[in-house]
């Protein structure tokens, strides 16, 4: 369903991502591991077209992802929702509005100011928050929540788009071990129950071993490992 072929991104003379190829047949939980600077973020950002590729190809269900423009590109970006290390919420905005924010590109930004969200969307947001165990926080400002709760709000915002793929860029790097586990458990459950693909940049092998079906290892832009986590014996 997803294939990446010789994907490359240069920044000046540096190849941040250097001829990376892999394909995914069915929704999997994939971890990308590697040191800081290995190219993990750049790879994820190319997948959802936040960053342009220098060369190579991405195909998803027959679509040539790198050729998508305009509305088709925006539809693709909804199909692969992204979550980030620093959550990227609007701190002073309440949790429900943050969750609905992901749908804003299709509506007016004034919806936030005047609370003009369709009621059905608000209920759906609350249902998603409930599923993630944070419905009680719905009316609070995002900044009042713990890191683990904030990351679950970001996951809820992603789920509002009903994505086929969730791209997670170091989703637990800012969290303590307990919150990290809550967030990874939530991602794993969404993967299993909804059949959504998850591709997560992770910096610890332990997390990859525990949660992923497949691990891609990167070093200096190159893919140096692709296999089951239990086959991974040394650091990448
Ligand atoms: P991470 O370690 O989480 O990948 P970085 O600090 O490397 O985060 O990157 C954060 C942001 O800065 C990203 O948007 C990335 O594209 C950009 N960035 C990273 N390295 C450079 C660089 N050498 N020059 C300019 N921008 C950079
Ligand atoms: P990782 O996510 O594994 O930490 P990145 O994808 O952030 O790695 O970065 C890979 C390489 O590309 C690094 O050398 C980084 O400095 C460089 N890089 C990333 N973004 C930029 C940017 N916007 N401008 C220049 N260099 C960048």
């Amino acid at each position: 369903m997803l294939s990446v072929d010789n994907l490359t991104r240069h920044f000046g003379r540096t190849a941040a991502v250097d001829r990376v190829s892999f394909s995914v047949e069915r929704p999997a939980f994939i971890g990308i591991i590697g040191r800081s600077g290995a190219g993990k973020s750049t790879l994820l950002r190319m997948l959802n077209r936040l960053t342009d590729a220098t060369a190579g190809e991405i195909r998803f269900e027959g679509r040539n992802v790198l050729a998508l423009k305009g509305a088709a590109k925006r539809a693709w970006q909804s199909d692969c929702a992204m979550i980030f290390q620093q959550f990227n919420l609007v701190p002073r905005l309440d949790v429900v509005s943050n969750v609905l924010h992901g749908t804003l590109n299709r509506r007016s930004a004034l919806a936030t100011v005047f609370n003009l969200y369709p009621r059905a969307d608000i209920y759906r947001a609350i249902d998603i928050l409930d599923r993630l165990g944070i419905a009680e926080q719905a009316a609070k400002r995002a900044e009042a929540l713990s890191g683990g709760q904030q990351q679950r709000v970001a996951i809820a915002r992603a789920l509002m788009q009903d994505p086929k793929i969730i791209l997670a860029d170091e989703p637990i790097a800012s969290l303590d071990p307990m919150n990290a586990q809550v967030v990874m458990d939530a991602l794993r459950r969404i993967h299993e129950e909804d059949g959504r693909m998850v591709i997560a940049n992770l910096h610890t092998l332990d997390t990859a071993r525990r949660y992923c079906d497949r691990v891609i290892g990167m070093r200096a832009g190159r893919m140096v490992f692709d296999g089951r986590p239990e086959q991974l014996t040394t650091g990448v």
Side-chain angles (χ1 to χ4, degrees), residues 11 36-37 40-42 45 51 85 169-170:
F11 289 108
S36 184
K40 306 180 298 294
S41 295
T42 305
R45 293 162 64 86
T51 297
Q85 176 173 351
D169 195 359
E170 300 281 3

Side-chain angles (χ1 to χ4, degrees), residues 49 57-60 62-68:
R49 298 287 311 275
E57 200 170 73
I58 302 171
R59 288 194 168 269
F60 185 78
R63 275 178 285 179
N64 179 355
V65 169
L66 295 179
L68 300 174

